[in-house]
Amino acid sequence: MVKTIYPNSLIASLPNLIKEKLPNGVNLYNQSFEAEQSGSLELAVIGYRAALETFIKDYALLSEQDDKDTIAKTNLAKSVKKYLPNMGTQNVADVIRIIGNDYAHWNSTNDVSFELFKQYVDIFIAQINMQLMMLFPPVSRN
């Protein structure tokens, strides 16, 4: 008898509002988290960068900053500047974008540790969650 075992998918702990409002980015984030947990750090970095782009573009659409076609055609560097609310959030997103882009090229020369990179990913998650909380408060003025 042959027994096949499939690995269980690993799911990251993300804020509920992000899971509810930005499911496409959550999917990419979880795949990246799974790569990270299996030790595939280069794939994880590239995946977190892809999740960043999806989070930003879905947030831009959700907050009605542009139409879907315009958002889709905007590259990530311009999306960071155009759709994120403040310079601090933009700086954090740029760290993830630049390092992720570097890892995606065959002659990568990045010397930033994965641990430091992941700290910036965690900061971004907290910042985008904060933006969603302001966009969708649990109560409102009448």
Side-chain angles (χ1 to χ4, degrees), residues 30-135:
N30 281 330
Q31 290 178 47
S32 305
F33 180 75
E34 194 168 342
E36 174 188 350
Q37 297 307 304
S38 72
S40 299
L41 300 184
E42 291 83 3
L43 288 175
V45 170
I46 295 165
Y48 284 127
R49 183 248 178 245
L52 170 82
E53 182 166 2
T54 304
F55 282 138
I56 292 170
K57 290 184 174 191
D58 283 351
Y59 172 76
L61 188 62
L62 197 60
S63 57
E64 300 176 346
Q65 295 184 48
D66 253 331
D67 63 88
K68 188 174 184 175
D69 289 338
T70 302
I71 293 168
K73 292 176 185 173
T74 306
N75 70 35
L76 181 54
K78 290 180 183 172
S79 293
V80 166
K81 188 172 183 175
K82 186 174 183 180
Y83 302 130
L84 292 180
N86 62 53
M87 185 60 88
T89 306
Q90 291 173 10
N91 288 343
V92 169
D94 276 336
V95 168
I96 299 165
R97 176 185 64 80
I98 292 166
I99 294 170
N101 286 348
D102 188 51
Y103 270 80
H105 296 94
W106 72 271
N107 62 345
S108 176
T109 58
N110 201 304
D111 59 356
V112 175
S113 71
F114 180 82
E115 291 75 20
L116 182 58
F117 169 80
K118 188 64 187 299
Q119 288 174 356
Y120 278 90
V121 171
D122 293 342
I123 292 168
F124 178 79
I125 292 298
Q127 289 176 327
I128 200 71
N129 187 58
M130 182 179 66
Q131 294 305 315
L132 289 171
M133 290 176 76
M134 289 188 284
L135 192 59

